[in-house]
Amino acid sequence: MRTTIRGALAALALLPALALGAPAASAAPSPSATASGTPAPATKAGTSFLTAVNLSPGQDANVAASTGDYLYWAFGASEGQTPTVTLTVNLAPATDRHGPQTWSVEVFDGLRRRQACTAGTQNTTADQSATSLTLDCTLREVRTWAEPWSGDPLPGTYYVRLSVTDVPQPDLGLASSVRLHVAAKGDADNAQPEGGELKAPLVPPAGGGASTAKAAAPVAAEDHWYSGWFSGWNSRWYWTIGGGFLAALAGVLGYNLTRHPHGRRPGRYGAVPPQGSHQSGSYADRP
């Protein structure tokens, strides 16, 4: 009996220690974030603009791909920034390749307009003996506003496309790996030109790219005294009935204005006048 009581007391004494140790076990670091707090690299890439993988600010991409595939990523950029895209491609072993390969990187804005690179190597050709190649592209500074015809970079989503432009036919499908890094210099204080302001991003981005773009505040629609006439599901019936009534009224008025007058119609040319009518200068008036 004493042994049982002592065992129960010992178990009760250990309960606080177990309660304190439980939160420590559940506070393990998440595998989706690194020790420095930056997001873990993305491990996927899209195959088109619609399936592009969104990257958060400071997030890299480390993707295994096949030679010949189109790879797409999307990131956000705000006014005053100068984005720089850097890609490192690890090629398949030289013993499996049959010749040099040419890779290309392109950057598009939210309207899918190709943006020019002010610096960097957009196209690189790797010899058969090379193990890797590097591509980079530095865009122009993102502006606060621009003329529609200028094509200047504006705040919003940007797409990165990596492709192979020249490769031997037997090398298509060989395994390769790509590492993407996006860096941005500057902030809103460096935005040019001054005095302009973009009401909304070029294209409202979705996913990770939305964190750096600024969305415009909703603007309430103005209400006029005639606004109710052109709104509502049944407004077209009112206008149809009213238009039909006006058309009928116009037809009746037009008929009254163009029909012949009431009474006898004028005789035709050469018709014999009715009997009993007075004729000036006829033989009937003579004695």
Side-chain angles (χ1 to χ4, degrees), residues 107-117 139-143 145-155 158 202:
V107 181
F108 302 84
D109 62 8
L111 296 180
R112 301 179 187 178
R113 300 177 301 182
R114 189 175 182 271
Q115 292 293 321
C117 299
L139 299 178
R140 294 172 292 173
E141 181 182 325
V142 179
R143 302 163 62 97
W145 66 277
E147 298 293 341
W149 49 262
S150 65
D152 292 335
L154 296 173
Y158 286 83
L202 193 59

Side-chain angles (χ1 to χ4, degrees), residues 3-215:
T3 305
T4 305
I5 295 175
R6 290 178 180 178
L9 294 176
L12 292 175
L14 291 176
L15 287 177
L18 295 175
L20 293 175
S26 62
S30 174
S32 61
T34 60
S36 59
T38 58
T43 58
K44 295 182 180 180
T47 56
S48 65
F49 288 101
L50 298 178
T51 60
V53 174
N54 291 283
L55 301 177
S56 302
Q59 184 181 20
D60 297 339
N62 195 357
V63 180
S66 298
T67 303
D69 291 346
Y70 283 86
L71 305 180
Y72 289 81
W73 295 274
F75 66 93
S78 58
E79 62 272 14
Q81 292 183 344
T82 303
T84 299
V85 179
T86 304
L87 296 107
T88 302
V89 181
N90 296 319
L91 304 174
T95 55
D96 298 337
R97 304 202 306 268
H98 299 80
Q101 298 182 3
T102 302
W103 292 66
S104 175
V105 59
E106 299 169 283
V107 181
F108 302 84
D109 62 8
L111 296 180
R112 301 179 187 178
R113 300 177 301 182
R114 189 175 182 271
Q115 292 293 321
C117 299
T118 60
T121 305
Q122 291 185 258
N123 302 278
T124 301
T125 301
D127 297 333
Q128 184 176 356
S129 59
T131 59
S132 64
L133 57 88
T134 302
L135 302 166
D136 55 348
C137 173
T138 300
L139 299 178
R140 294 172 292 173
E141 181 182 325
V142 179
R143 302 163 62 97
T144 56
W145 66 277
E147 298 293 341
W149 49 262
S150 65
D152 292 335
L154 296 173
T157 300
Y158 286 83
Y159 297 92
V160 180
R161 179 171 70 184
L162 178 65
S163 60
V164 180
T165 57
D166 188 12
V167 62
Q169 187 70 21
D171 292 351
L172 293 176
L174 293 178
S176 59
S177 62
V178 179
R179 182 174 181 83
L180 169 67
H181 176 70
V182 179
K185 297 181 179 179
D187 50 24
D189 296 336
N190 302 327
Q192 296 292 333
E194 297 181 357
E197 182 179 359
L198 188 67
K199 292 184 178 180
L202 193 59
V203 168
S211 57
T212 57
K214 295 183 178 179

